[in-house]
Amino acid sequence: MQRSVQQTNGDDILTSPRKKQRVSSATAKVTVVLGAQWGDEGKGKVVDMLAMDADVVCRCQGGSNAGHTVVVNGAEFHFHLLPSGVINPRCISLIGNGVVIHLPGLFEELESNEAKGLENWQERLVISDRAHMVFDFHQQVDGLQELEKGAQSIGTTKKGIGPTYSSKAARNGLRIGDLLGDFDKFSQKFDMLVTSYQKMFPALQVDVKAELQRYKDIGGVCTGLGLPPSYIGEVVGVVKAYTTRVGDGPFPTELSDAVGELLQRRGHEFGVTTNRKRRCGWLDLTLLKFTSMVNGYTSICLTKLDILDTLPKIQIGIGYRLNGKEIDYFPSLASDLAKVEVIYETLDGWLSTTEGIRSLDKLPPNAKKYIQLIEEHLGIPVKWIGVGAGRESVIAL
């Protein structure tokens, strides 16, 4: 059977549901694609690449705060809610029950990408009826909560993702299935949800009648997404060749100098959703060891290696010191992470372009050393190397 991809945090699962017969868990394996750093690793490109051999691409969590750019034949497609494999005309694209969906934003995203060449999505896009809905007032609440936090704010995209998951956890949120059922009951639940938030935030203004009219005309084809762990085959950790982070929070390997600016400029490090500059820094292997331990990566896709082409020296964070002592773990407290001293290993750069290279043997020797060091420290093979923005700019090992 063909592979399938799962996208979480903007990450995807590839599967093959077109086969009607019952299959055993030994043969029905899927590939899970996970971001291994603080986001923006290039998951969208990896999912698009793997989806060319898949039957189904599933988005399983997150919301429109995600931003993925996929370049196909010179055209840039931008995705926030849609699985990145939706460009591939033979794939079913599934938005699963773990995703929170702002329906107006989803339709805007579809229209925008239609103008760039996305075709026949109506025949291939399926939405779980268990997925919770993001409303405009969730986005207002997101902003109000950030204001309340003051200096402790985390710099959210204010897309209403957190408040919607809070509604889901509190069991007073609304799902796609509610919208497709009895609309009077949907209206009652909507009114109750708005009232509960207005009690917490008296300044919250919602035109309930107008919002309900807005949703009355929306419908769709829905199904569920459930995936037992035994069906997972490969878990691909997508790792950017350096590290970036958007918003606030500790960033041990951050570069606040000309090198950081160079990475930001060469890597076009601006958020797809917010257009905010991404903070840039050296690759952090301690962070990657932690995310690998949690997620169980079986392979790595290393993206944006070409961005390092012009650097004479390249550093890699290989460990941390906390309060003067070397530690062998990733701190659980943000306050501790903010205090760590990074232990670096310095490598010579390769000072030559890698963008047109399509095989490992053609990479500069120092670029190979960089990849080998990553594999040795993590104990995980690098199976793909991204050396450019286009779909074709990948070295498969």
Side-chain angles (χ1 to χ4, degrees):
M1 84 189 296
Q2 297 291 330
R3 284 186 301 181
S4 75
V5 178
Q6 174 160 341
Q7 181 169 311
T8 63
N9 183 25
D11 316 332
D12 281 331
I13 297 174
L14 287 76
T15 60
S16 182
R18 295 182 185 175
K19 304 235 191 290
K20 301 290 185 183
Q21 69 272 25
R22 180 181 293 273
V23 292
S24 71
S25 61
T27 58
K29 296 297 185 182
V30 304
T31 298
V32 179
V33 179
L34 299 171
Q37 293 152 300
W38 274 298
D40 310 307
E41 303 92 349
K43 296 181 293 293
K45 178 181 176 181
V46 175
V47 170
D48 171 68
M49 174 186 72
L50 295 176
M52 289 190 285
D53 295 321
D55 292 320
V56 180
V57 179
C58 312
R59 173 88 185 272
C60 67
Q61 64 92 42
S64 59
N65 55 336
H68 300 280
T69 300
V70 177
V71 180
V72 178
N73 298 325
E76 282 194 2
F77 294 86
H78 299 294
F79 301 118
H80 303 280
L81 277 165
L82 291 171
S84 304
V86 72
I87 305 171
N88 291 275
R90 67 181 300 276
C91 277
I92 299 297
S93 291
L94 172 60
I95 299 178
N97 61 285
V99 180
V100 291
I101 303 172
H102 184 249
L103 282 173
L106 175 62
F107 288 119
E108 288 175 10
E109 183 177 332
L110 286 163
E111 290 174 6
S112 173
N113 285 294
E114 269 188 322
K116 297 174 182 178
L118 177 64
E119 298 178 335
N120 301 321
W121 62 264
Q122 297 92 337
E123 302 170 8
R124 298 182 290 109
L125 180 63
V126 181
I127 302 174
S128 171
D129 58 359
R130 292 178 173 85
H132 276 249
M133 300 171 64
V134 180
F135 297 103
D136 287 358
F137 68 80
H138 280 126
Q139 298 179 344
Q140 292 182 54
V141 169
D142 204 347
L144 291 170
Q145 288 177 333
E146 283 286 275
L147 284 174
E148 278 190 346
K149 293 173 185 174
Q152 301 300 316
S153 67
I154 59 174
T156 74
T157 58
K158 299 182 179 62
K159 294 293 182 179
I161 309 306
T164 304
Y165 278 118
S166 295
S167 297
K168 180 176 181 176
R171 300 184 180 181
N172 62 358
L174 284 96
R175 303 188 294 183
I176 295 292
D178 293 314
L179 180 61
L180 300 180
D182 185 323
F183 194 76
D184 286 338
K185 290 183 179 179
F186 175 88
S187 301
Q188 292 170 13
K189 291 184 69 174
F190 182 86
D191 190 60
M192 290 172 62
L193 182 59
V194 171
T195 300
S196 69
Y197 272 113
Q198 286 178 327
K199 289 179 180 177
M200 292 185 283
F201 299 96
L204 182 65
Q205 298 294 319
V206 182
D207 188 335
V208 173
K209 185 177 180 180
E211 281 294 289
L212 287 173
Q213 185 60 45
R214 184 185 191 190
Y215 282 91
K216 191 172 184 178
D217 300 327
I218 294 173
V221 180
C222 301
T223 188
L225 170 63
L227 189 70
S230 60
Y231 278 65
I232 296 175
E234 189 163 6
V235 179
V236 180
V238 184
V239 176
K240 193 179 289 187
Y242 49 101
T243 308
T244 59
R245 183 167 188 174
V246 175
D248 301 319
F251 186 173
T253 64
E254 184 171 12
L255 291 165
S256 302
D257 57 10
V259 176
E261 291 179 3
L262 182 143
L263 294 175
Q264 192 272 329
R265 184 176 65 254
R266 280 181 54 82
H268 304 287
E269 297 295 352
F270 296 89
V272 175
T273 301
T274 63
N275 203 38
R276 289 184 295 181
K277 284 185 178 181
R278 297 179 184 135
R279 300 153 64 191
C280 297
W282 297 120
L283 188 64
D284 187 338
L285 294 183
T286 304
L287 168 65
L288 293 178
K289 285 179 181 178
F290 172 72
T291 64
S292 177
M293 177 187 70
V294 172
N295 296 297
Y297 305 139
T298 57
S299 62
I300 286 173
C301 178
L302 186 69
T303 64
K304 290 196 167 184
L305 184 70
D306 56 302
I307 305 305
L308 306 180
D309 285 351
T310 63
L311 295 174
K313 296 288 182 181
I314 299 171
Q315 291 188 297
I316 300 183
I318 60 171
Y320 289 163
R321 290 191 186 94
L322 180 60
N323 299 323
K325 296 181 179 180
E326 191 170 339
I327 59 175
D328 59 359
Y329 60 90
F330 187 81
S332 59
L333 298 178
S335 56
D336 284 343
L337 186 61
K339 294 189 294 185
V340 298
E341 174 191 354
V342 182
I343 302 168
Y344 287 104
E345 183 161 336
T346 303
L347 303 178
D348 290 327
W350 42 93
L351 296 177
S352 60
T353 184
T354 59
E355 191 167 350
I357 294 175
R358 297 294 177 267
S359 63
L360 181 65
D361 61 306
K362 297 292 175 48
L363 278 178
N366 287 344
K368 293 180 186 177
K369 289 179 182 177
Y370 188 77
I371 295 163
Q372 289 167 359
L373 188 147
I374 294 170
E375 290 182 321
E376 289 169 4
H377 276 265
L378 299 181
I380 306 168
V382 174
K383 290 187 64 174
W384 300 274
I385 304 167
V387 287
R391 176 190 279 175
E392 73 287 349
S393 301
V394 174
I395 299 171
L397 306 185

